[in-house]
Amino acid sequence: MKRALIWLAAAVVLTGCKIQEAEYFDPTADGYRMLQSANRHLTEAAAAASRVMLFNLYYSASDEERKTLHDRYFYTSRIVDSGNGEWRIIDRDGELVILTGGQPLATDGAVWRYFYLSPTYAETTIACRTNGDETAYDLRLPDGGGELTFTAVFPGRTQEDGATRYWCELSLTGSGACPAEKDLYGFDELRYRITGTLKYISTAPQRFELGQLELTGRIDGDELEATAQYLPDNRITIASGPYENDYYWH
């Protein structure tokens, strides 16, 4: 009887250990980690592109309109014309250099280059394509970071206090790879493909409002695949194999 009680106690302890481990098992955790790195890379690219698109409004405007546009979009920035088509947007935390080639970006065939000033700066290229009333922009990120296409709109919405709030909204498609410096978890390789158009709003710069990504990665010899879907309630659904979980941005 005593031996039976000892075996029963041991079985309870072992079973308890297994249950505790199961409580912390998350089969979509690697997919979420891939999404975090890809999201960081893509939102930084979208934030810079939206700033360039807003600057194009300023660049293309008359002197009278520029003051209004500066106060609307760049009220904490200093805009400097450095000559020869080079402009600088100077903020407290950084300096964005834009090489315009001397023509507005919304001209068919126009190509702008831009980069944030730093010891290791890398240029991004943005090119305009127009087809009738439709205008799209091709974005080539440095170091194989991605080849994206987007459209841009500039909504305004009246607030409760009567003021109008303005922003830039991008819709992005394309694919690419997350550079090592943007990778948060040390993946040997991390690639993304936009399978549902990403909707980016400049007033929410750290995430996308809608869209879907297919993610593939490799870490410690393991090959990983996942799908990430952005939903409008600050939620992301990660699917990996037969598993699916929801995560929330904080």
Side-chain angles (χ1 to χ4, degrees):
M1 180 68 178
K2 185 175 181 181
R3 180 178 295 178
L5 290 174
I6 291 172
W7 277 107
L8 178 61
V12 170
V13 170
L14 290 173
T15 303
C17 290
K18 290 180 180 178
I19 291 174
Q20 186 176 16
E21 290 173 1
E23 287 177 349
Y24 295 98
F25 173 61
D26 183 354
T28 58
D30 284 331
Y32 183 57
R33 293 187 185 102
M34 288 195 292
L35 180 277
Q36 286 179 298
S37 292
N39 181 82
R40 178 185 181 185
H41 169 56
L42 285 167
T43 54
E44 287 184 7
S50 64
R51 197 148 179 77
V52 170
M53 296 307 299
L54 291 172
F55 173 74
N56 181 60
L57 297 180
Y58 175 92
Y59 180 84
S60 305
S62 65
D63 290 340
E64 293 77 11
E65 294 171 322
R66 280 184 175 180
K67 183 181 186 308
T68 299
L69 291 168
H70 180 275
D71 293 344
R72 179 179 296 173
Y73 298 118
F74 300 100
Y75 57 91
T76 62
S77 307
R78 184 161 62 96
I79 298 177
V80 177
D81 179 359
S82 300
N84 296 320
E86 178 180 297
W87 292 73
R88 295 171 182 250
I89 303 174
I90 303 170
D91 299 290
R92 182 181 63 182
D93 299 324
E95 185 170 335
L96 178 61
V97 180
I98 303 174
L99 307 174
T100 67
Q103 62 179 328
L105 183 57
T107 304
D108 187 37
V111 178
W112 282 13
R113 294 175 291 132
Y114 59 91
F115 55 89
Y116 276 98
L117 199 62
S118 71
T120 58
Y121 77 88
E123 286 187 352
T124 296
T125 301
I126 184 170
C128 175
R129 290 184 290 109
T130 61
N131 182 12
D133 294 333
E134 296 182 1
T135 301
Y137 299 89
D138 295 323
L139 193 66
R140 185 182 292 267
L141 303 179
D143 302 323
E147 294 188 6
L148 309 176
T149 296
F150 70 85
T151 57
V153 294
F154 309 94
R157 182 176 300 159
T158 303
Q159 307 297 296
E160 292 181 0
D161 61 3
T164 302
R165 187 180 189 187
Y166 299 93
W167 66 92
C168 179
E169 184 177 304
L170 305 182
S171 296
L172 298 103
T173 59
S175 61
C178 184
E181 66 270 17
K182 303 292 177 63
D183 175 17
L184 301 170
Y185 295 99
F187 288 95
D188 300 318
E189 182 182 70
L190 176 53
R191 302 194 64 82
Y192 64 86
R193 185 166 67 93
I194 302 172
T195 53
T197 301
L198 295 178
K199 180 180 178 182
Y200 177 83
I201 298 176
S202 60
T203 53
Q206 295 182 337
R207 70 179 303 273
F208 294 97
E209 298 295 306
L210 292 169
Q212 183 170 290
L213 293 172
E214 284 187 0
L215 302 163
T216 58
R218 188 176 68 250
I219 188 168
D220 297 331
D222 293 329
E223 302 290 336
L224 306 170
E225 294 183 359
T227 298
Q229 184 176 9
Y230 292 87
L231 298 168
D233 56 356
N234 230 28
R235 178 166 49 103
I236 290 179
T237 298
I238 304 293
S240 182
Y243 303 103
E244 185 174 294
N245 278 319
D246 288 345
Y247 298 83
Y248 290 85
W249 294 116
H250 298 292

